[in-house]
Amino acid sequence: MAESMCRTLRDGSLEGEQAPALTIKDITTSPFGFHVFSHVLSQLSSFILASKSQSRGIVIVAFSRSPSFYVDLLKRRGIDVNSSHKWIQILDCYSDPLGWKYQLMGSGNCMDVSHETSSNLSRVCKDVKDLDKLYSMILELGKGLVGQGKDRFSVAIDSINEMLRHASTPTVAGLLSNLRSHEQISSIFWLLHSDLHEVKVTSALEYLSSVVASVEPLHQTAGGKRGDLENLSLLEQNFGKGKLQIRFKRRNGRVRVVNEGFHIDQSSSNFTSVLSEDGLVNQINQSLLPKVQFDLELSEKERIDRAKVVLPFEHQGNGEPIHIYDGRRSLTESKTEATLSSSGNSQKTDSGEGEIIYFRDSDDEMPDSDEDPDDDLDI
């Protein structure tokens, strides 16, 4: 399902709707959120290059890594970056986030170029506290990729925590909401180290998201000194792997939750089903079944035999007209009288079959209504 959240970002938004937003959050015991972030970034970049994405470019807001790191990352993932200036722009909030280097240089010129990257690939933000300016720079870089028309671009923010260091939660949430609402933004995703903030901060950011991917340890560690040896063993088991819980919020309000396992190697992140890998699917399914002493399922032979059973009073499809009993006489009596009258013999014969004869009390009694004639029964 890791690919499902990538496809959600790839497909983008419908006309008049907000762009899909993905929150990737991790904790100290499973600090692999950036690996998931890198995986999503690489997949979305591949979709853009293959023209399979709604977005035609991507703007990376780099708080925790330098622009050159992302260029090398895409190269290692096998993505062609020779024409990267046509589909990717990096807003460098890492090199000089507060403008101190700029002030030390004593220059009044805007430093649009990072010393680590080419001049047409990145732009330095010298005041990350000003989120209005940050918002304008993101849109400016994105429109520089796709133009002013209807083409759209995606936004990736590698650390919401750095933004929260310099701005309040409502301000950051407002920036993300404005980005989602912009008509030229196809999708947006960000990384959050959730245990560095209060629950209300994490909840506010999750509320803005249409997809939430939580990186969790494969085995939970125990608390207390008695669990130190056990924790050490669990930490070794959790090294390089963990569990990814993905929560999709649909337009109709329903929520779908799936779990996947992941393994981190030197080149990439591999995602597999945690439950199937550990052999827990059958155990969970068996635990949901009631404890009974007989089999609730039918075999193939039993289903065939059941289909051959003729139910009482059921139409057998013999093509004969359907007679509705009106309460005056039985159908057998009517057929017998009709046969005798046609043969000229009015004497009644005993058919030898049992029947129920009902006589109405008077002609004022209305016959059975045709609105509910029990058409599925031959009565």
Side-chain angles (χ1 to χ4, degrees):
M1 288 300 169
E3 304 308 319
S4 297
M5 64 182 182
C6 295
R7 289 194 296 268
T8 300
L9 299 178
R10 177 200 66 184
D11 296 339
S13 61
L14 299 176
E15 191 69 27
E17 292 188 353
Q18 288 186 326
L22 166 65
T23 293
I24 304 171
K25 65 174 187 176
D26 64 359
I27 53 178
T28 306
T29 54
S30 186
F32 302 113
F34 187 77
H35 293 82
V36 180
F37 178 87
S38 302
H39 175 78
V40 175
L41 176 62
S42 302
Q43 291 293 315
L44 187 57
S45 299
S46 299
F47 290 141
I48 293 175
L49 282 177
S51 299
K52 295 180 179 179
S53 174
Q54 184 187 62
S55 61
R56 294 294 177 261
I58 184 170
V59 176
I60 302 176
V61 185
F63 280 94
S64 61
R65 303 291 193 281
S66 64
S68 61
F69 173 87
Y70 288 105
V71 175
D72 296 337
L73 172 66
L74 296 178
K75 288 181 179 179
R76 292 196 304 269
R77 299 295 175 90
I79 299 176
D80 182 18
V81 295
N82 294 329
S83 60
S84 57
H85 63 280
K86 298 180 180 179
W87 59 273
I88 185 173
Q89 283 290 309
I90 302 175
L91 182 56
D92 185 5
C93 301
Y94 174 83
S95 301
D96 193 18
L98 298 177
W100 292 349
K101 294 180 182 179
Y102 175 76
Q103 294 177 8
L104 290 176
M105 290 176 60
S107 172
N109 298 324
C110 294
M111 187 172 56
D112 292 336
V113 182
S114 172
H115 67 280
E116 298 177 316
T117 56
S118 59
S119 59
N120 57 358
L121 189 60
S122 69
R123 182 176 179 183
V124 176
C125 177
K126 296 178 290 296
D127 187 9
V128 297
K129 294 182 179 180
D130 189 354
L131 295 189
D132 293 333
K133 179 65 175 178
L134 186 67
Y135 175 74
S136 301
M137 295 179 71
I138 294 174
L139 296 182
E140 183 179 347
L141 292 177
K143 292 179 180 179
L145 293 173
V146 301
Q148 298 288 341
K150 294 184 178 181
D151 289 338
R152 304 188 181 192
F153 62 93
S154 299
V155 178
I157 305 175
D158 65 359
S159 179
I160 292 293
N161 303 86
E162 294 294 332
M163 298 179 66
L164 291 171
R165 289 179 59 188
H166 306 291
S168 63
T169 302
T171 307
V172 174
L175 170 66
L176 298 177
S177 179
N178 291 336
L179 289 174
R180 287 195 65 192
S181 303
H182 195 275
E183 60 182 4
Q184 282 194 274
I185 292 184
S186 172
S187 60
I188 180 174
F189 62 101
W190 57 78
L191 174 62
L192 171 69
H193 305 297
S194 58
D195 51 358
L196 299 181
H197 302 281
E198 298 179 0
V199 177
K200 62 181 181 180
V201 176
T202 304
S203 300
L205 296 175
E206 291 183 8
Y207 179 78
L208 295 173
S209 309
S210 53
V211 183
V212 179
S214 304
V215 181
E216 302 174 353
L218 201 57
H219 304 281
Q220 296 290 343
T221 58
K225 295 183 178 180
R226 292 192 307 172
D228 289 344
L229 294 178
E230 180 183 358
N231 288 345
L232 181 60
S233 175
L234 293 177
L235 288 175
E236 293 177 353
Q237 298 179 33
N238 291 331
F239 182 75
K241 57 185 178 181
K243 183 174 63 174
L244 184 65
Q245 183 186 81
I246 308 174
R247 187 170 72 249
F248 297 89
K249 293 189 289 186
R250 300 179 179 177
R251 294 184 179 90
N252 57 7
R254 294 185 178 180
V255 177
R256 180 168 62 98
V257 180
V258 294
N259 291 280
E260 279 193 348
F262 63 87
H263 182 270
I264 307 296
D265 53 29
Q266 294 182 355
S267 59
S268 62
S269 304
N270 300 319
F271 296 88
T272 56
S273 176
V274 174
L275 298 179
S276 60
E277 182 178 348
D278 293 343
L280 298 178
V281 173
N282 292 333
Q283 297 181 15
I284 293 177
N285 291 338
Q286 291 296 330
S287 64
L288 295 178
L289 292 176
K291 306 301 181 182
V292 294
Q293 301 299 325
F294 54 87
D295 190 5
L296 297 177
E297 298 293 332
L298 295 178
S299 64
E300 185 66 23
K301 182 179 181 302
E302 290 173 337
R303 283 195 291 267
I304 295 175
D305 293 341
R306 182 181 64 177
K308 294 180 179 180
V309 175
V310 179
L311 298 178
F313 308 111
E314 183 182 13
H315 292 317
Q316 302 306 317
N318 52 12
E320 296 182 359
I322 301 174
H323 297 279
I324 301 175
Y325 176 58
D326 64 354
R328 299 191 179 193
R329 64 184 69 186
S330 67
L331 291 177
T332 305
E333 181 182 359
S334 299
K335 293 178 181 179
T336 303
E337 291 182 357
T339 303
L340 293 177
S341 60
S342 63
S343 61
N345 185 6
S346 60
Q347 183 179 359
K348 295 185 179 180
T349 60
D350 187 4
S351 62
E353 297 179 357
E355 61 181 13
I356 298 176
I357 301 176
Y358 168 73
F359 296 100
R360 291 192 299 167
D361 293 338
S362 66
D363 291 337
D364 296 335
E365 183 180 349
M366 297 298 294
D368 293 344
S369 173
D370 292 348
E371 296 178 359
D372 187 16
D374 289 332
D375 285 341
D376 57 333
L377 302 179
D378 285 330
I379 301 178

